[in-house]
């Protein structure tokens, strides 16, 4: 651990000594995917994950080149965007990467200042500040590139009272599957190329004012076959956390390498969403057809009381029930956490989701890494990509 966490609350106060505040972030605003068929993707995220229809932009609203569906569940907003013709540059993104995350949008007080402060520190511009207006007010957005072709948009909506953003209309649907208890985005992880992790760690420090608050090297993260390195970057108030992974040399192909080969670039590897009741959430997701990684072996579950240490008596969940759902448990100094990972949600083995319930723990489940990576490797072996 490279830095001690000073405080464990998620309020606006700084959790790091020396954290920069040239880029105050209020949280994640939305995550935008570029996909081959946004209508079907929207159906999937509604049906399988319990997202609700929120807003729409397409031919009917005067958008000639692309269609976007906006979905919401508690604080999480997903935007699913697809091109309407072969000339849209969105096609190039999809041809190269398959379906994937294009934009990780961050909610800011001032999108002009966010753009200035980051570009003057070396960020590559994606979009200069643009003001969009409708009868509900205005939204200011600007954007910079991060790893690969991924973008951070800065969204200022303090003078806006509409559903989502100018250009979109409210989307009321007759089809409204129940939510599954997903609450907010806990963290989003990027995979970067060989030897690139520290470059991007420095980029988040210098350009975004983030700090590196946890690090895992390949001695901690390896299995018989593969290895990786990971550093967790956090903004000053802890609301935005971006772990960054790079592959490390192992006996076989690391899952990070597999991702890079199939995404053909650096990109977002997983989106971790928080729930207050992982048993209920995962039961619902499974019933709706979401596929999760198969459970770790019996020995993993036998070892749970040991892994929980002093937090053993605090755990309310029944181990047999967790095992039945293949949920994993880890603990750190401050508490424990429950987590589980989906299989990739596209045909290319690229983006997947994590469901996480934090019971005090502020870590990322390091005690689960070995079991998790072995489980991923079993999937890789089935794909012939290990
Ligand atoms: O975000 C994390 O660090 C955990 C564990 O390829 C993890 O969810 C780390 C690397 C990885 C998959 C999961
Ligand atoms: Fe994670």
């Amino acid at each position: 651990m490279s830095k001690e966490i000073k405080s464990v609350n998620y309020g606006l106060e700084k959790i790091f000594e020396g954290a920069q505040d040239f880029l105050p972030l209020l949280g994640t605003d939305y995550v935008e995917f570029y996909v081959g068929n946004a209508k079907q993707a929207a159906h999937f995220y509604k049906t399988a994950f319990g997202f609700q229809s929120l807003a729409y932009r397409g031919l009917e609203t005067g958008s000639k080149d692309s269609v976007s569906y906006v979905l919401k569940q508690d604080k999480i907003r997903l935007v699913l965007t697809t091109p309407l013709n072969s000339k849209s540059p969105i096609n190039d993104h999809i041809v190269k990467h398959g379906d994937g995350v294009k934009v990780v949008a961050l909610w800011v007080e001032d999108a002009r200042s966010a753009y200035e402060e980051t570009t003057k520190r070396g960020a590559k511009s994606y979009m200069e500040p643009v003001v969009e207006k409708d009868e509900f007010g205005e939204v200011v957005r600007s954007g910079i590139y991060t790893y690969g072709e991924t973008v951070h948009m800065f969204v200022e909506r303090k003078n806006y009272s509409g559903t989502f953003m100018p250009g979109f209309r409210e989307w009321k649907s007759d089809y409204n599957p129940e939510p599954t208890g997903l609450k907010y985005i806990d963290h989003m992880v990027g995979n970067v190329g060989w030897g690139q992790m520290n470059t991007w760690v420095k980029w988040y420090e210098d350009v975004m004012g983030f700090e590196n608050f946890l690090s895992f090297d390949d001695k901690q993260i390896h299995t018989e076959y593969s290895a990786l390195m990971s550093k967790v970057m956090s903004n000053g108030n802890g609301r935005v956390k971006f772990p960054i992974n790079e592959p490390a040399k192992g006996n076989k192909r690391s899952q990070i390498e597999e991702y890079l080969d199939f995404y053909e670039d650096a990109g977002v590897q997983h989106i971790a969403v928080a729930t207050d009741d992982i048993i209920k959430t995962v039961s619902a997701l499974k019933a709706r057809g979401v596929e999760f990684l198969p459970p770790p072996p019996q020995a993993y579950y036998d070892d749970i009381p040991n892994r929980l240490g002093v937090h053993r008596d605090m755990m309310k969940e029944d181990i047999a029930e967790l095992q039945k759902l293949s949920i994993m448990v880890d603990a750190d100094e401050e508490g424990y956490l429950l987590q589980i990972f989906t299989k990739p949600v596209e045909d290319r083995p690229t983006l997947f989701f994590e469901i996480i319930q934090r019971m005090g723990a502020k870590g990322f489940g390091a005690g689960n890494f070995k079991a998790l990576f072995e489980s991923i490797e079993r999937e890789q072996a089935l794909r012939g990509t290990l």
Side-chain angles (χ1 to χ4, degrees):
M1 203 186 285
S2 70
K3 273 279 187 328
E4 282 295 310
I5 298 174
K6 293 271 186 298
S7 143
V8 291
N9 85 40
Y10 284 89
L12 270 171
E13 96 193 42
K14 289 189 211 168
I15 60 171
F16 302 117
E17 204 72 69
Q20 303 289 301
D21 54 7
F22 60 80
L23 183 62
L25 300 178
L26 303 168
T28 306
D29 196 281
Y30 65 85
V31 181
E32 181 170 16
F33 297 64
Y34 281 177
V35 299
N37 186 331
K39 180 181 274 231
Q40 290 187 6
H43 192 281
F44 171 75
Y45 284 106
K46 286 174 70 170
T47 304
F49 282 86
F51 281 86
Q52 311 296 304
S53 303
L54 182 70
Y56 172 82
R57 177 176 65 187
L59 289 172
E60 300 83 346
T61 67
S63 172
K64 300 261 186 308
D65 292 323
S66 66
V67 177
S68 296
Y69 296 82
V70 187
L71 303 177
K72 187 173 160 67
Q73 188 163 179
D74 206 321
K75 294 192 166 55
I76 312 163
R77 277 192 294 242
L78 304 184
V79 181
L80 303 160
T81 296
T82 203
L84 280 172
N85 55 60
S86 60
K87 279 157 210 84
S88 163
I90 297 168
N91 289 295
D92 304 335
H93 200 275
I94 300 170
V95 167
K96 185 167 165 82
H97 307 297
D99 287 7
V101 172
K102 174 63 181 178
V103 179
V104 176
L106 302 167
W107 179 25
V108 297
E109 270 296 309
D110 186 338
R112 292 180 185 89
S113 142
Y115 183 82
E116 256 166 55
E117 296 293 335
T118 51
T119 51
K120 89 175 180 212
R121 287 173 170 81
K124 181 179 158 202
S125 173
Y126 173 71
M127 187 175 107
E128 286 185 13
V130 170
V131 184
E132 289 160 305
K133 297 183 186 195
D134 65 13
E135 69 264 43
F136 301 105
E138 64 171 49
V139 169
V140 190
R141 283 192 307 158
S142 61
I144 59 172
Y145 278 99
T146 173
Y147 46 75
E149 291 196 284
T150 316
V151 163
H152 287 313
M153 292 288 268
F154 301 117
V155 185
E156 169 189 331
R157 45 172 80 255
K158 61 176 179 286
N159 298 313
Y160 194 67
S161 61
T163 305
F164 180 57
M165 237 187 261
F168 289 79
R169 72 169 186 213
E170 198 175 345
W171 174 23
K172 286 227 189 298
S173 172
D174 295 332
Y175 178 60
N176 304 299
E178 277 284 295
T180 57
L182 305 178
K183 295 252 173 287
Y184 61 88
I185 294 180
D186 185 275
H187 60 276
M188 295 187 65
V189 182
N191 282 342
V192 300
W194 292 93
Q196 294 295 300
M197 179 178 68
N198 286 327
T199 307
W200 287 103
V201 163
K202 193 166 173 351
W203 187 91
Y204 276 101
E205 286 170 350
D206 294 349
V207 172
M208 305 272 287
F210 281 38
E211 294 215 5
N212 170 215
F213 91 101
L214 278 175
S215 302
F216 307 100
D217 65 20
D218 47 334
K219 279 162 214 79
Q220 287 163 281
I221 315 187
H222 69 272
T223 65
E224 189 188 336
Y225 297 125
S226 69
L228 61 85
M229 295 186 269
S230 186
K231 288 188 176 176
V232 183
M233 306 307 293
S234 172
N235 80 317
N237 62 25
R239 289 189 188 186
V240 179
K241 290 189 255 39
F242 294 145
I244 299 170
N245 299 330
E246 84 170 38
K249 200 118 199 70
N251 298 327
K252 296 200 177 187
R253 182 152 71 155
S254 148
Q255 47 157 319
I256 309 305
E257 227 178 318
E258 181 195 36
Y259 175 100
L260 295 168
D261 289 348
F262 280 91
Y263 200 68
E264 299 190 15
D265 208 346
V268 173
Q269 177 213 36
H270 75 265
I271 303 174
V273 289
T275 172
D276 288 343
D277 187 344
I278 198 165
I279 289 180
K280 213 165 144 200
T281 294
V282 171
S283 303
L285 293 170
K286 288 195 169 172
R288 291 154 182 237
V290 176
E291 295 179 322
F292 290 90
L293 291 176
Q298 183 61 39
Y300 170 92
Y301 286 95
D302 293 342
D303 196 42
I304 285 181
N306 204 10
R307 208 167 319 111
L308 279 168
V310 294
H311 305 298
R312 194 179 316 181
D313 300 331
M314 199 179 130
M315 191 170 97
K316 299 192 296 291
E317 294 77 11
D318 173 32
I319 294 179
E321 196 167 14
L322 296 174
Q323 182 171 13
K324 215 172 72 207
L325 292 167
S326 63
I327 294 167
M328 297 185 294
V329 192
D330 191 33
D332 59 22
E333 298 78 20
E334 290 151 298
Y336 68 100
L337 63 79
L338 303 150
Q339 64 184 169
I340 186 169
F341 297 84
T342 71
K343 292 184 180 181
V345 291
E346 319 73 15
D347 293 295
R348 297 194 198 192
T350 53
L351 178 77
F352 57 87
F353 284 84
E354 170 183 354
I355 314 297
I356 182 166
Q357 182 180 351
R358 292 188 181 278
M359 301 298 286
K362 293 291 174 285
F364 288 78
N368 290 332
F369 284 0
K370 197 165 162 41
L372 167 64
F373 297 158
E374 284 170 350
S375 190
I376 293 175
E377 283 165 5
R378 286 193 287 275
E379 296 295 299
Q380 280 182 268
L382 294 175
R383 293 193 279 264
T385 58
L386 182 60

